[in-house]
Amino acid sequence: MPRRTSRNPLAGLLFLALLAVMGVACSGPDRSALPDCPDSARTCPASGSPASPGPAAATAGGPTTASPAASGTPTAKPTATAAPQTPSGAPAAQAACASFSACGFPDASTTGPRIALTPHKTGYMAVRENGLVIRGWDITGALDIYANDVTVIDSKITSDSWWGINLRPGFSGLRVLHSTITAVPGKGPDNGGVDYAVSNMGGSSIEVGWCDVSVFGDALSMGQGNLHDNYVHDIVPFVNLGGEWQHTNAVISGGGNTGELIIRHNTLLNPTGLKEGASGSIGLFADTGVVRNVTVDDNWIAGGAYALYGGSTGATGIKVTDNVFSTEYHPAAGGYGVVAHWNHSGAGNVWRGNRMSDGRPIQPEPAQ
């Protein structure tokens, strides 16, 4: 079975440590006075500006207070339902699904900022203020979070670092909502590449919702979190500092988590070529420990060597339900197949209601 390309983490870790030492603390940055726009709302009040930046960008004013907590509730499931049963008891084929947009999955129109943005050329920025809300910023740079309960909402980040947003160990409560996280291809620090759009190095769950994510090799990287209603697309492959094709995943988890990872109602596209480091659209790998307690529900999943890596023989509590695996890049969703390393016998593992975008029901092969 083909294996994903592994990275040598030493160079990256040394560089990250250097960045942390050199980082400048965030001492109460200015915050724009922006129209009230509830965190969980799909659209802003009529007084708000369009999502894309324009000449009507908000001007600086008094401090912005934290908005009410986002509900984190995924949108309704418009098309992905459990497969009906044939008289023999086997799942029956379902209706074909033309595209993720046509079938109600997230796209550019339902993700990203909902208000006009103000440019902030921050470069690398270490955030150290608990409860800080960054809203309405068009950031050129990257955020390194050394604080609790930080919210990034209705903003755009064009990264020039290893990540777009990174939560450091020992901190919690990060929320990234209604934002665009991207980079300039060929301008990142990893031999021109960029590694993580949102990285959770902390020991608790974070929330990433309604975000438009592109370019990064491993876009959403975490062992625990609530990832919902996001549009991950246009991943850009690159040869890393170690001289190897960097493995690419729309969502990646290295295992060893103690909490829960929820991946619900996202569009996850990995168009990377098989000879250019393609790994998975969702990669659940036992790199740093056992994979456990992961819910993969109601997503549109396409691309990778395998569309889904299921955690291997020790994985438990992995629930894969009502997902659509798309044929847009490969006839079997991934170049080599739909799923690899699925543990049929793992306690609490569930595979139910998953189908191809052309309507074919899917049953995984046992882990090898």
Side-chain angles (χ1 to χ4, degrees):
M1 177 178 293
R3 297 175 62 87
R4 66 196 179 95
T5 303
S6 61
R7 93 169 53 229
N8 181 346
L10 181 57
L13 291 174
L14 291 174
F15 192 80
L16 293 178
L18 179 61
L19 284 177
V21 172
M22 297 175 62
V24 179
C26 174
S27 56
D30 62 309
R31 307 174 192 175
S32 299
L34 297 168
D36 183 32
C37 193
D39 290 358
S40 58
R42 285 301 187 96
T43 58
C44 290
S47 60
S49 303
S52 58
T59 56
T64 299
T65 57
S67 304
S71 66
T73 303
T75 55
K77 302 179 182 182
T79 58
T81 57
Q85 300 294 306
T86 64
S88 65
Q94 298 183 42
C97 206
S99 69
F100 53 88
S101 295
C103 292
F105 289 94
D107 60 17
S109 71
T110 61
T111 57
R114 304 162 295 177
I115 57 178
L117 308 180
T118 303
H120 286 75
K121 294 184 177 180
T122 66
Y124 168 83
M125 188 170 102
V127 176
R128 303 182 187 275
E129 180 182 341
N130 290 336
L132 177 68
V133 176
I134 293 176
R135 186 173 188 178
W137 285 24
D138 185 352
I139 296 170
T140 301
L143 303 178
D144 203 4
I145 312 297
Y146 293 85
N148 297 318
D149 302 320
V150 172
T151 298
V152 180
I153 184 169
D154 287 315
S155 294
K156 178 180 180 180
I157 295 176
T158 304
S159 176
D160 57 2
S161 186
W162 296 84
W163 58 77
I165 303 173
N166 180 49
L167 179 66
R168 289 289 178 170
F171 300 95
S172 63
L174 174 65
R175 298 186 304 156
V176 184
L177 307 171
H178 299 288
S179 294
T180 294
I181 309 167
T182 189
V184 179
K187 299 296 184 180
D190 196 353
N191 199 30
V194 285
D195 290 343
Y196 311 112
V198 182
S199 170
N200 181 8
M201 298 173 64
S204 63
S205 180
I206 70 174
E207 181 183 3
V208 183
W210 303 287
C211 289
D212 185 323
V213 179
S214 61
V215 179
F216 294 86
D218 283 328
L220 302 177
S221 174
M222 61 198 69
Q224 47 201 349
N226 181 9
L227 311 179
H228 63 88
D229 301 284
N230 300 294
Y231 174 41
V232 182
H233 60 102
D234 293 309
I235 290 173
V236 176
F238 61 93
V239 176
N240 61 27
L241 289 173
E244 299 177 307
W245 282 105
Q246 174 67 28
H247 58 76
T248 61
N249 299 270
V251 176
I252 185 171
S253 174
N257 60 300
T258 57
E260 183 177 11
L261 177 60
I262 299 172
I263 306 168
R264 178 169 284 132
H265 196 67
N266 303 278
T267 298
L268 304 173
L269 310 179
N270 185 358
T272 307
L274 295 177
K275 296 182 179 180
E276 298 178 318
S279 185
S281 279
I282 299 177
L284 307 178
F285 301 114
D287 290 343
T288 58
V290 173
V291 180
R292 57 172 69 90
N293 301 331
V294 181
T295 296
V296 180
D297 177 64
D298 188 31
N299 300 280
W300 179 279
I301 303 170
Y306 287 89
L308 170 66
Y309 285 81
S312 197
T313 54
T316 60
I318 314 300
K319 301 177 179 64
V320 183
T321 55
D322 297 337
N323 298 282
V324 178
F325 288 84
S326 171
T327 60
E328 61 198 276
Y329 303 128
H330 307 284
Y336 300 121
V338 173
V339 57
H341 304 301
W342 173 253
N343 183 12
H344 275 275
S345 60
N349 290 353
V350 175
W351 182 281
R352 184 183 64 243
N354 302 296
R355 63 184 176 96
M356 301 296 294
S357 56
D358 60 13
R360 289 174 289 157
I362 303 167
Q363 291 298 328
E365 296 179 0
Q368 301 295 318

